[in-house]
Amino acid sequence: MKPNKKGLNTICTHVGELEDKQFKGAISPLYMSTSYAYEDVDIKRYPRYFNTPNQEALCKKIAALEHTEAALIFGSGMAAITTSLMAFLQAGDHIVLQRTIYGGTYNLVNEEFDKFGISYSFTDGFQPDDFETKIQENTKVIFIETPSNPLLTITDLKAIGKISKRHGIVSMIDNTFASPVNQNPIDFGIDVIIHSATKYMGGHSDICAGAVASTQEHIERIYQLAKNFGGSLSDYTIWLLERSIKTMGIRVKAQNENAQRMAEYLYEHKDISQVYYPGLQSHPNYELGKSQMKGFGGMLSFELSDGFNASEFQKSLELIKSSMSLAGVESTVISPTLTSHALLSTEERKEQGIKDGLIRFSVGIEEPEDLIADIEQALEKVRYSRVVATH
Ligand SMILES: *Cc1c(COP(=O)(O)O)cnc(C)c1O
């Protein structure tokens, strides 16, 4: 299969559409059947075989978006991550993982890998050398996540691709934060691209799904496990996900623009002491980000100046909701200390550069003026309570 060469929004809207031959409807029909007529030994259609009409169609769209030959859709991002990792690891093998990765991936490795006899090393930093020095004789996979959560650190895709080729091991990326709109890791030599489709692909905080995109050969290998592990997604949700992805290009570009605007506003603000956003020239990885991303994404983090209470600030926001998840069209904030990194000690968090007052901001598609007005009124409230407290 040749990678699709159409432009982003055309791929989002059209690639992989199913034709409604019966009624000539404008959109893909939804096939909910779990039972199909037997065609031959190789084509037995069944949801858990990942080959229902809606699944196959949406996989084409996702593969086209990631410039890969093939893709698979899963019931969650973690199902995609687990199945992809296990397809390339077995007892006696070793994996190198970036030090800061999604909490669920960290828990999978930390809580489950010992019992499968798979050993692992987390890097000390984000530089290519930090990865290469951890590689052992039995290392089979390098796993990265860029931009990272919550400090939006950027890992060098090209360098990681080269290291993995040099050592004959498979490189994998969790590409969720960037989305395929902003970053296509295969173009930089990364082998396996994983998404929590719950985030930017779904984009409306109402779908839980995952995806993996790679070469036909790698996807075939992951598929062999996938049908045994059984983490497929319902066709109804697949159909909803297809609809969501139609607007992903324009949604994410709007979120890129809003996030840039919010990052610049926060950066200039006297009550904000730190802003982490790869689109700011002050970000240590700005140049690297620019070299491998088409947009800097909708995620950023910031710290309030000393004396401001971060949780009071979050409670005072009216338009911007406090929410665990991210990447929806609505803006949300969360405290990593209270959620994704709650299980770490203050010391461990400090080691990772995560201060207790850090706020992660998933920027939506609202008018930026309204987001700014909301932040201003919330700062005003906590500023007032701060003055009262000192008297
Ligand atoms: C949410 C998330 C996941 C896990 O996805 P689920 O769909 O919740 O299983 C993995 N990686 C990143 C970066 C995420 O944000």
Side-chain angles (χ1 to χ4, degrees), residues 74-81 101-105 143 145-149 174-178 194-199 207-211 299 324-327 360:
F74 290 84
S76 69
M78 282 312 301
I81 290 170
I101 50 170
Y102 177 70
T105 314
F143 190 95
E145 187 177 316
T146 176
S148 75
N149 179 18
D174 183 333
N175 204 29
T176 302
F177 264 38
I194 306 170
H195 286 279
S196 168
T198 312
K199 312 297 164 54
I207 284 173
C208 181
M299 300 299 300
M324 278 288 283
S325 202
L326 59 106
R360 192 189 72 190

